[in-house]
Amino acid sequence: RYVSEQWRRPPTARNGMVVEVRISMLPSGDITDAVILRSSGDAGFDQSALQAVRNVGRIPEMQQLSRESPATFDRLYRQRTLRFKPEDLAF
């Protein structure tokens, strides 16, 4: 939800494009890294996805999850891959 609120679809985006971004997070919810695992082939589209993740900066709910269930946080959220597709973003 946080990332989709930050994502701005670039004018070059076309249906069928996909970029995969791996994010790394600390138990505090701070996003420490975002890297492209698979490019869409369009640099502007790829950069818009990276920028959306970087603009989030921190996901506050992760702090509570990591305290309540550190193993779940490590398994599901410490590193997570997000897929960005233009058709997922409403105008």
Side-chain angles (χ1 to χ4, degrees):
R1 174 180 61 114
Y2 291 103
V3 175
S4 64
E5 289 172 357
Q6 294 295 321
W7 190 30
R8 303 295 174 260
R9 180 179 171 158
T12 59
R14 301 288 177 261
N15 285 346
M17 296 173 105
V18 177
V19 60
E20 291 183 0
V21 177
R22 185 185 65 218
I23 64 171
S24 300
M25 233 183 307
L26 296 175
S28 63
D30 291 303
I31 296 171
T32 59
D33 196 22
V35 296
I36 294 174
L37 293 180
R38 189 177 90 183
S39 172
S40 68
D42 182 279
F45 184 72
D46 294 355
Q47 287 305 310
S48 73
L50 280 177
Q51 193 60 49
V53 172
R54 291 178 179 144
N55 286 346
V56 170
R58 184 170 181 271
I59 301 174
E61 293 86 351
M62 289 298 120
Q63 190 169 23
Q64 182 175 349
L65 174 66
S66 67
R67 273 189 296 226
E68 293 173 0
S69 183
T72 298
F73 173 80
D74 284 341
R75 186 169 32 89
L76 298 177
Y77 297 103
R78 187 172 291 278
Q79 286 197 331
R80 188 163 185 107
T81 301
L82 303 177
R83 292 171 47 99
F84 291 78
K85 301 183 287 185
E87 53 269 29
D88 289 345
L89 188 60
F91 287 96

